[in-house]
């Protein structure tokens, strides 16, 4: 039932991504006695290919105290070594074959081309993260933390992006995205 101030209708809108490289917006408009209301959702997802390598670590090789992921750690046999269309992992216990539930590190690198304009590079991470753009450190949260959002501004153009991530224990969250400013 729908009244002048509240209600539910039985419609569903589904949006299916056709893949990376899209810039899309879904906008809905409703009107009634109280006037028109517009609401929507927008997503920008540039085409990219991440080359990613994850390695397990133990208490003897704990990288949290280092300024960066040690080369000796990255030289270990990887528990994941491959390419990804996006960095978008979230789970309580790992659901990627080979990755242990805790004590693992990831390095991922990609080239991204953004159209002209200003963009926010944003991450959601749990536990530790560092992000470099064109060799410049733009996000530095290299301490174990609960899910948190970090953001840096970058301009359009082609950029080399590197992400170092540590999973200590518990919840796993690693997401990186871009949004127009």
């Amino acid at each position: 039932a729908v009244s002048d101030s509240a209600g539910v209708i039985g419609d569903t809108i589904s949006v299916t991504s056709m893949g990376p490289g899209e810039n899309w917006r879904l906008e809905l408009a409703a009107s009634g006695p109280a006037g028109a209301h517009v609401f929507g959702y927008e997503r920008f997802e540039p085409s990219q290919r991440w080359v990613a390598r994850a390695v397990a670590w133990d208490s003897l090789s704990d990288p949290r105290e280092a300024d960066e992921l040690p080369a000796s750690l990255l030289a270990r046999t990887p528990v994941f070594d491959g390419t990804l269309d996006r960095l978008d992992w979230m789970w309580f216990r790992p659901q990627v074959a080979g990755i242990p539930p805790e004590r693992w590190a990831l390095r991922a690198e990609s080239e991204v081309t953004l159209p002209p304009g200003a963009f926010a590079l944003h991450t959601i991470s749990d536990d530790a993260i560092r992000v470099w753009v064109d060799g410049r450190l733009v996000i530095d949260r290299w301490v174990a933390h609960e899910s948190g959002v970090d953001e840096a501004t970058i301009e359009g153009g082609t950029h080399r992006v590197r992400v170092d991530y540590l999973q200590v224990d518990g919840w796993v969250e690693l997401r990186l995205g871009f949004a127009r400013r």
Side-chain angles (χ1 to χ4, degrees):
V2 179
S3 72
D4 287 346
S5 60
V8 176
I9 58 174
D11 292 325
T12 301
I13 297 174
S14 297
V15 177
T16 304
S17 172
M18 300 305 284
E22 295 185 21
N23 183 22
W24 54 268
R25 177 176 175 83
L26 172 67
E27 190 171 278
L28 304 173
S31 61
H37 302 282
V38 177
F39 57 97
Y41 177 78
E42 184 172 0
R43 181 162 177 121
F44 172 73
E45 189 171 336
S47 181
Q48 52 195 332
R49 173 70 65 182
W50 291 92
V51 176
R53 179 182 182 92
V55 294
W57 53 275
D58 56 29
S59 60
L60 299 176
S61 59
D62 188 336
R64 288 179 286 178
E65 301 303 320
D67 289 337
E68 63 181 65
L69 288 178
S72 59
L73 180 62
L74 290 171
R76 290 182 174 192
T77 301
V79 294
F80 175 85
D81 194 5
T83 58
L84 305 163
D85 289 333
R86 64 175 65 123
L87 292 182
D88 190 1
W89 291 356
M90 180 177 70
W91 63 73
F92 178 66
R93 291 289 178 234
Q95 297 174 6
V96 176
I99 294 183
E102 57 188 36
R103 293 187 178 178
W104 56 274
L106 175 93
R107 173 164 289 166
E109 297 182 80
S110 182
E111 185 173 274
V112 62
T113 300
L114 303 171
F119 293 83
L121 178 157
H122 54 85
T123 62
I124 305 174
S125 63
D126 178 326
D127 285 308
I129 192 167
R130 282 194 171 132
V131 178
W132 290 261
V133 174
D134 299 326
R136 184 173 60 91
L137 184 63
V138 297
I139 294 177
D140 187 5
R141 197 174 213 194
W142 203 242
V143 295
H145 60 273
E146 293 181 359
S147 288
V149 177
D150 293 289
E151 188 174 288
T153 299
I154 64 173
E155 294 298 317
T158 299
H159 301 282
R160 189 84 188 142
V161 180
R162 183 180 114 196
V163 175
D164 285 355
Y165 169 79
L166 289 179
Q167 171 54 24
V168 179
D169 57 18
W171 184 255
V172 173
E173 189 157 22
L174 172 59
R175 296 175 176 199
L176 183 139
F178 298 90
R180 293 181 183 275
R181 288 218 181 255

